[in-house]
Amino acid sequence: MRSFLKLSVFSIFCGLLLASSAVLAQTDADRGVEVEFPEIEGWEKGEITTYPTAQLGYSIVYQSAEGGTVTIYVYGGGVSKIADGIDDKNVKNEIKKAKNDIVLIGERGIYKNVKEIKDDTVTLGGRDGKVKALYSLFNFEIQGRQVDSEIYLFGYHNNFIKIRATRAKSKNNEPNEAITTLLAEIDKLFSE
């Protein structure tokens, strides 16, 4: 009788655990936002990559003729509520995670001489833009090449939008015209 009781309690526990997981998965899936990424002059737009869980969301890569790569990620990260914009504590925590990921990759030796150069708030579309993003610029070496790597992050419709731009290192950390053009189009996309 005792083993039957233990088995029953265990079965109920497992059922509750699976039910709560299903509800969580459903909640994450329901809050997904579909973004129609535009064609942008001077950039080759890749295909959407959907990740294995709703928490990880999806991404798209843009590749410029001059060698810059921009990846845009749309994801919830397992966070239950993400406010639009940059003032939400979850958005601030997420940029810290993104910056720490770059540092960790450097510590593992994949990136060399990792240095954070800027930590700021920017408007994606410049003076005419509307979308503010938390911003960080890193310099490092990867496979013998010096690169600038930028992170832009903001909340949008209960998701994180993270933009990761990597390009050949510029002189004096100057902006890259092709990336500036792409960001202006992305600003229009997320300000509608």
Side-chain angles (χ1 to χ4, degrees):
M1 181 71 169
R2 269 186 135 159
S3 23
F4 177 76
L5 184 59
K6 285 181 182 177
L7 182 59
S8 295
V9 170
F10 180 73
S11 296
I12 292 169
F13 175 76
C14 288
L16 289 173
L17 184 62
L18 289 173
S20 67
S21 296
V23 169
L24 179 62
Q26 183 179 7
T27 303
D28 275 346
D30 289 345
R31 74 179 218 192
V33 60
E34 289 189 33
V35 178
E36 292 292 326
F37 290 100
E39 297 290 334
I40 299 173
E41 188 175 335
W43 292 87
E44 182 180 329
K45 181 175 86 168
E47 297 293 318
I48 296 280
T49 299
T50 303
Y51 298 105
T53 67
Q55 292 180 357
L56 299 176
Y58 59 94
S59 68
I60 189 164
V61 174
Y62 284 89
Q63 189 75 41
S64 77
E66 59 190 48
T69 301
V70 174
T71 306
I72 304 170
Y73 301 90
V74 179
Y75 63 101
V79 177
S80 62
K81 180 76 175 132
I82 304 165
D84 285 359
I86 59 172
D87 294 325
D88 183 69
K89 69 177 180 166
N90 292 317
V91 173
K92 292 176 182 181
N93 288 338
E94 193 64 21
I95 193 135
K96 287 177 189 173
K97 287 180 196 174
K99 290 165 40 169
N100 285 338
D101 288 346
I102 291 174
V103 171
L104 286 173
I105 293 170
E107 289 172 356
R108 292 183 182 147
I110 297 168
Y111 299 161
K112 298 188 182 332
N113 303 318
V114 174
K115 292 180 189 131
E116 184 177 12
I117 305 301
K118 289 184 186 175
D119 180 27
D120 205 352
T121 300
V122 298
T123 304
L124 294 182
R127 287 190 310 248
D128 298 328
K130 295 179 181 168
V131 178
K132 292 205 177 299
L134 299 178
Y135 170 75
S136 189
L137 169 64
F138 284 85
N139 294 146
F140 54 82
E141 181 182 325
I142 183 168
Q143 297 175 346
R145 290 183 22 221
Q146 294 291 323
V147 298
D148 288 336
S149 188
E150 299 166 296
I151 304 168
Y152 302 84
L153 197 123
F154 57 96
Y156 179 79
H157 294 203
N158 207 27
N159 283 271
F160 296 114
I161 307 298
K162 179 171 67 175
I163 302 168
R164 182 82 191 273
T166 303
R167 57 190 159 79
K169 185 169 177 1
S170 64
K171 292 182 181 180
N172 301 319
N173 302 309
E174 293 175 10
N176 176 284
E177 187 176 323
I179 289 177
T180 301
T181 300
L182 180 133
L183 290 174
E185 292 300 317
I186 299 304
D187 182 274
K188 291 176 193 173
L189 177 67
F190 287 106
S191 62
E192 296 176 348

